[in-house]
Amino acid sequence: MGNQMEKLTHLTYDEVPTSDPNGLDPAGGDEVGPRIGVSYIFSADDDDHEDPLDVPNTSRPPSQEDPPFNPHNELACSVHYRDECVYQRNTPETNNTTTHSPESLLNKCRPGDLLEFVSAGQYPHWAVYVGDFRVVHLHRAEVKDSFLTDASQGRPGRIVNDLYRYRALPLEVVLRNARDHVGARDRELCWRNAECFAAWCRYGKREFKMGGEIRIGKQPYRLTLMFSPKDRHVLEFQSLEDVIMEKRRNDQIGKEAVVQELAGHLNATNEIKDDRFD
């Protein structure tokens, strides 16, 4: 596999397999347990459409602009590896990652910081701040050294050092990880998206790389989607890379769309149960 791994294509929630092929609780209880989040299949499509910062948005007329980013349409979530929380994003009310304009963000960055640029209807774009107003980031299937204001493409940004719970590498290692890969492109790349690359630079975990974990057997990762303090849903995954792909897709479509997809999936599951036990 490695760098030769085909890109992944997303399935809808209705097509996501559960622990039972019919979508039923194997224990026969009324409580819905975690669904297995095997929400990607391999595709031979060579076009990289994973990050809209890399690909123009052709789904709307050129004159129609994207709506402004609304943090209240951002889905709070957490990621656990077995019993360890490795990622946590809270609700906007308790989230301390406030967005800033690119120019304001420059005054807050320190070398080694992870940055996330956000926009409604688009995947978040991650970068590593390396100083002197510049960032290193994965963009259009190439690792680039750019001015922060250019990399943002006008989108608001925020410092996201605290989202992942891993211990950061020493600063000089973080900067070396980023700078040493500038110019890498296409088949040389070991990361599927800008978030995986930037997070790898800061934490050095092989789990962020393509094929870094074997996807066979157990699903040790749990992605918990938190719609409210009492309303949440859990998906299970075999690798951190798969979790990130799903999490990023949820960010791209927004909380309301995720709720609609999930409602459709649960309604379909209930219909299967009704048909089976009538």
Side-chain angles (χ1 to χ4, degrees), residues 3-272:
N3 296 343
Q4 305 302 319
M5 182 181 294
E6 297 91 345
K7 77 182 288 290
L8 297 171
T9 301
H10 191 271
L11 300 179
T12 65
Y13 271 104
D14 292 346
E15 298 171 297
V16 175
T18 62
S19 54
D20 183 286
N22 295 317
L24 303 178
D25 182 352
D30 294 330
E31 183 176 349
V32 178
R35 290 188 299 121
I36 298 176
V38 186
S39 50
Y40 302 92
I41 59 175
F42 291 116
S43 168
D45 184 0
D46 291 330
D47 294 332
D48 180 15
H49 297 286
E50 209 287 315
D51 194 334
L53 281 170
D54 299 345
V55 180
N57 186 349
T58 57
S59 61
R60 57 176 171 76
S63 59
Q64 182 180 349
E65 295 183 357
D66 288 318
F69 173 72
N70 180 3
H72 291 279
N73 196 33
E74 189 172 44
L75 186 58
C77 64
S78 65
V79 178
H80 283 77
Y81 177 74
R82 305 192 189 281
D83 295 328
E84 178 188 3
C85 181
V86 298
Y87 177 98
Q88 178 80 49
R89 183 173 64 204
N90 298 319
T91 61
E93 292 77 15
T94 59
N95 196 342
N96 59 359
T97 53
T98 305
T99 57
H100 306 274
S101 69
E103 293 77 16
S104 297
L105 189 60
L106 275 173
N107 297 323
K108 303 177 182 297
C109 292
R110 295 181 179 180
D113 281 346
L114 291 183
L115 307 181
E116 180 184 45
F117 302 106
V118 291
S119 178
Q122 297 197 7
Y123 292 92
H125 188 68
W126 285 48
V128 180
Y129 185 70
V130 294
D132 296 327
F133 314 112
R134 305 188 72 87
V135 298
V136 172
H137 59 132
L138 178 58
H139 177 64
R140 291 189 176 175
E142 181 180 352
V143 177
K144 299 180 179 179
D145 183 334
S146 309
F147 282 111
L148 183 153
T149 49
D150 292 338
S152 72
Q153 296 193 356
R155 296 163 174 79
R158 55 195 176 189
I159 300 171
V160 289
N161 294 339
D162 296 331
L163 290 184
Y164 283 100
R165 301 296 181 87
Y166 300 121
R167 179 178 302 216
L169 297 170
L171 174 59
E172 61 273 16
V173 178
V174 176
L175 298 181
R176 184 170 67 245
N177 283 345
R179 289 168 173 158
D180 282 356
H181 288 87
V182 171
R185 58 184 306 165
D186 300 327
R187 297 295 181 179
E188 300 172 343
L189 297 174
C190 298
W191 308 272
R192 199 174 298 281
N193 53 60
E195 179 174 340
C196 284
F197 170 72
W200 175 84
C201 288
R202 183 171 174 86
Y203 304 109
K205 304 284 286 185
R206 62 179 174 80
E207 290 86 342
F208 289 109
K209 291 188 173 184
M210 287 190 291
E213 295 175 281
I214 299 176
R215 298 181 179 88
I216 297 177
K218 298 179 181 179
Q219 280 77 32
Y221 289 93
R222 300 193 315 276
L223 171 63
T224 302
L225 309 178
M226 295 175 282
F227 302 101
S228 71
K230 295 184 179 180
D231 186 11
R232 58 187 59 197
H233 189 73
V234 180
L235 292 170
E236 294 183 345
F237 293 82
Q238 292 178 321
S239 72
L240 181 60
E241 183 190 6
D242 287 346
V243 176
I244 292 172
M245 295 285 282
E246 177 67 15
K247 180 175 64 66
R248 287 169 63 79
R249 189 194 72 95
N250 291 341
D251 291 340
Q252 186 261 329
I253 66 176
K255 179 178 179 179
E256 294 178 2
V258 174
V259 171
Q260 293 174 0
E261 281 191 351
L262 186 56
H265 169 81
L266 295 179
N267 288 338
T269 299
N270 290 334
E271 290 176 2
I272 292 173

